[in-house]
Amino acid sequence: MRKHGRRGGPKDRLVRLDGDMIVWTAVRPSFRLSERGGVKVAEVTEVRRTFAGRPRPSNVAEDRCLSLISKDRSVDLELPDNEVRELCHDGFSLLVKFGPPVTTSPSKAASTSTPSSGPDALVDFHTGGCDAPAV
């Protein structure tokens, strides 16, 4: 995707979730500190299907625009097409609504899970190990 900044032209960026941060890095990393940035998921208050921080350039179709809005800033992104924009909008919206995934260490998860409430509950259900009637 392309990130549109306040200065200079748009830049191709890889965007990923890193813990509780949405992080973007240059497609071709360099040693410049400005080539990497991010925003905490908890700080994003809204995901919009438009550019929020600046007027949309005339060469960018409206159905390819997406903005992550926080109290202090906005991040304007240009996606390859509408389908990808909708997928990213839905994903970022869910991330903002529910927060980043909670991860635990495998040893802690194993010691606190029980067959009826842990990861094995899903396996039990699908293998017939629960009390659900057979269909």
Side-chain angles (χ1 to χ4, degrees):
M1 60 183 67
R2 302 190 89 186
K3 180 180 171 292
H4 289 255
R6 305 295 170 258
R7 297 179 306 270
K11 308 278 191 295
D12 290 331
R13 295 289 183 246
L14 299 174
V15 178
R16 63 185 171 82
L17 184 62
D18 186 4
D20 66 343
M21 297 279 296
I22 299 169
V23 178
W24 49 89
T25 54
V27 173
R28 292 183 211 115
S30 71
F31 292 105
R32 292 179 21 191
L33 293 176
S34 64
E35 295 293 315
R36 183 179 187 279
V39 63
K40 286 188 176 231
V41 171
E43 293 176 1
V44 177
T45 58
E46 184 181 357
V47 181
R48 290 187 195 163
R49 292 179 177 100
T50 186
F51 276 2
R54 60 185 275 171
R56 178 179 50 86
S58 59
N59 64 336
V60 177
E62 181 70 31
D63 68 347
R64 293 174 25 209
C65 301
L66 186 72
S67 288
L68 304 175
I69 313 295
S70 73
K71 186 179 97 172
D72 300 324
R73 69 180 298 183
S74 66
V75 180
D76 296 331
L77 302 170
E78 175 187 348
L79 291 304
D81 58 40
N82 184 48
E83 184 178 351
V84 174
R85 192 263 308 250
E86 289 301 311
L87 179 68
C88 289
H89 176 270
D90 293 348
F92 284 131
S93 295
L94 288 170
L95 193 58
V96 168
K97 182 176 181 177
F98 296 109
V102 178
T103 58
T104 59
S105 65
S107 61
K108 185 175 181 180
S111 66
T112 59
S113 65
T114 62
S116 61
S117 65
D120 294 335
L122 187 59
V123 174
D124 287 346
F125 176 77
H126 289 291
T127 59
C130 69
D131 295 327
V135 181

